[in-house]
Amino acid sequence: MKKQALITGATSGIGKATALRLAADGWAILATGRRSERLDALQKEIGAAGGQCRTLAFDLRDEQACHDALDAIDRVDLLVNNAGLAAGFEHIDRGATSDWNTMIDTNIKGLLYVTQIIARKMIAAGGGHIVNIGSIAGTEPYENGAVYCATKHAVHALSQAMRADLLADGIRVSEIRPGMVETEFSIVRFHGDRTAADNVYRGVEPLTGDDIAEAIAWITQLPARMNVNEIVLMPSQQACQYYVHRKR
Ligand code: NDP
Ligand code: 8X3
């Protein structure tokens, strides 16, 4: 029987790349996200390549929807808590509270709802592995990103605390904290403004979703005695949040 990997936010970017990579590595994929047409396309793509994929379309901000979608799943060997977003780029006095609620409800509360449901299944099964997608924003807060950074600080704290909570249950917890990755992230952050989104990556070769999937594929095939607590993955042109070398 194939091991099962549940990936949240598999309709785009890092989550989609991870679903394709893990399916190619022999995992049976449970792919989630809200956009069901994209999930259908992903399922077809994985199936055409000889892999297995089931899809679950729901909004993980809705606790009951998480239960309706996930309670009936028999086994999850790997949970990749990837779904998340930034919404808006403003100083704290000008940010939209609706954007703040969306980020907090998705990046923190949604991650918690899914994690609790799946952790209980892993405990019953005697083990598992949870990979949280954090960010360098989880330790390096920046101007105009207060609430997004706060949510990723929360993911960083939760990763460390859940690693301790689940230690005796044989559940490994890893956190991947990337710098710039070119996905739909910036288009979402700037509410569809492609010029503003493109400007984020101006003069830089950012990471790709495949680069992050490569790291996830590596840490999930390590021996059970070995855990990667944390990986910080950066583009070569980005030293940290504050130093980016842009080529003309
Ligand atoms: P994308 O916008 O490309 O993908 C985000 C994914 O999250 C989509 O599949 C989206 O699916 C899903 N998602 C968002 N909201 C919800 C929701 N309410 N319910 C269910 N699914 C949801 O961005 P990335 O791939 O870049 O982002 C993935 C993760 O990586 C995020 O947690 C982000 O914070 C993190 N990250 C990104 C970096 C970057 O530079 N891109 C750097 C560091 C971390 P759908 O819209 O179909 O629901
Ligand atoms: C997403 C990338 O630049 O906001 O986490 O830290 S950044």
Side-chain angles (χ1 to χ4, degrees):
M1 193 170 37
K2 286 189 174 204
K3 287 188 166 189
Q4 299 219 94
L6 174 68
I7 302 161
T8 66
T11 57
S12 171
I14 294 169
K16 181 181 175 186
T18 302
L20 291 167
R21 173 58 191 263
L22 293 182
D25 285 356
W27 292 81
I29 304 299
L30 294 158
T32 86
R34 289 166 299 180
R35 289 170 287 182
S36 52
E37 69 291 349
R38 290 205 184 192
L39 290 174
D40 293 345
L42 176 68
Q43 186 178 39
K44 283 200 184 88
E45 188 174 348
I46 290 175
Q52 273 179 32
C53 178
R54 277 162 62 196
T55 62
L56 300 157
F58 65 98
D59 185 333
L60 50 65
R61 290 173 295 179
D62 178 342
E63 186 176 3
Q64 188 56 50
C66 292
H67 280 283
D68 292 345
L70 302 177
D71 279 352
I73 295 171
D74 53 344
R75 207 187 79 249
V76 174
D77 303 288
L78 168 66
L79 165 63
V80 182
N81 274 320
N82 164 75
L85 79 168
F89 192 76
E90 285 106 6
H91 283 184
I92 199 79
D93 53 309
R94 293 195 288 271
T97 55
S98 56
D99 281 345
W100 298 353
N101 290 333
T102 301
M103 290 186 276
I104 291 166
D105 290 350
T106 309
N107 300 358
I108 305 176
K109 292 167 70 180
L111 180 146
L112 284 169
Y113 299 149
V114 171
T115 298
Q116 186 178 66
I117 295 167
I118 302 304
R120 287 175 177 166
K121 293 179 192 296
M122 289 178 171
I123 291 167
H129 196 161
I130 299 173
V131 177
N132 294 329
I133 306 301
S135 168
I136 56 163
T139 50
E140 297 178 68
Y142 53 88
E143 185 178 6
N144 291 313
V147 177
Y148 177 69
C149 293
T151 66
K152 289 297 175 180
H153 273 65
V155 173
H156 189 47
L158 288 168
S159 300
Q160 295 170 78
M162 66 171 80
R163 186 176 303 123
D165 286 349
L166 300 172
L167 192 61
D169 299 300
I171 300 173
R172 292 181 285 175
V173 178
S174 305
E175 185 188 11
I176 300 195
R177 305 202 299 110
M180 275 184 222
V181 189
E182 190 162 12
T183 60
E184 294 177 13
F185 177 86
S186 293
I187 298 168
V188 172
R189 162 168 259 173
F190 293 107
H191 300 298
D193 180 342
R194 282 183 181 267
T195 308
D198 288 346
N199 205 35
V200 172
Y201 311 110
R202 182 180 41 82
V204 177
E205 186 176 355
L207 296 173
T208 66
D210 288 341
D211 295 332
I212 311 304
E214 175 76 25
I216 295 172
W218 175 65
I219 66 175
T220 54
Q221 54 78 49
L222 293 169
R225 65 176 180 278
M226 189 172 168
N227 186 48
V228 173
N229 282 9
E230 187 180 325
I231 300 183
V232 179
L233 273 178
M234 304 297 286
S236 303
Q237 287 174 254
Q238 185 180 23
C240 65
Q241 193 66 257
Y242 316 106
Y243 293 100
V244 178
H245 175 63
R246 295 186 192 274
K247 292 184 180 154
R248 288 177 202 284

